[in-house]
Amino acid sequence: MTILWHKHLGLPHHEIAKLSSAAPNTVTTTIRTYIEKGLSGVEKRHFHQPVSQIEPQRDFLKSHFLKYPPRTLKEAAAEIKRLTGVSFTVPHVRHLLISFGLSRKKQEASLGNWMTASEKNKSHLSLMS
């Protein structure tokens, strides 16, 4: 909406882009959409949001890694490739495992134990008693 307001004030596109923290092409597209479809067209603009190749198998992988925790990230990457045919870099595998709710405790890193947050709290409480 700030793009339209700045255009209403008569500012040039490069200044509108700078003031609204938008790319120059976004400014042009927004103004064209407003001219063609009105305010409702600008509000309903859809941006491309690609879906991960792993998304359809997310639940399967999560249950698999909860049942069979990997010892290393490389092992997890190899297992993902074996199960799905999709290969990922080690940082991406780390992000994926964390998004599954798995994390690795520093004390148990040598054992390769990945566990959910609730399991981590239970084991931490058992260590304290």
Side-chain angles (χ1 to χ4, degrees), residues 24-41:
N25 288 343
T26 303
V27 172
T28 304
T29 305
T30 302
I31 294 169
R32 280 187 188 154
T33 304
Y34 177 73
I35 291 168
E36 294 170 4
K37 300 178 183 176
L39 193 56
S40 62

Side-chain angles (χ1 to χ4, degrees), residues 68-118:
Y68 307 105
R71 283 188 236 147
T72 65
L73 292 172
K74 285 185 178 182
E75 182 181 308
E79 190 69 7
I80 291 171
K81 183 164 175 95
R82 184 184 70 79
L83 293 170
T84 65
V86 180
S87 62
F88 290 107
T89 62
V90 171
H92 192 187
V93 171
R94 180 184 300 112
H95 177 73
L96 190 64
L97 292 176
I98 289 171
S99 75
F100 289 162
L102 298 171
S103 64
R104 190 153 117 169
K105 290 183 69 172
K106 288 182 181 177
Q107 299 92 342
E108 298 173 354
S110 61
L111 300 175
N113 290 332
W114 286 78
M115 52 181 53
T116 62
S118 61

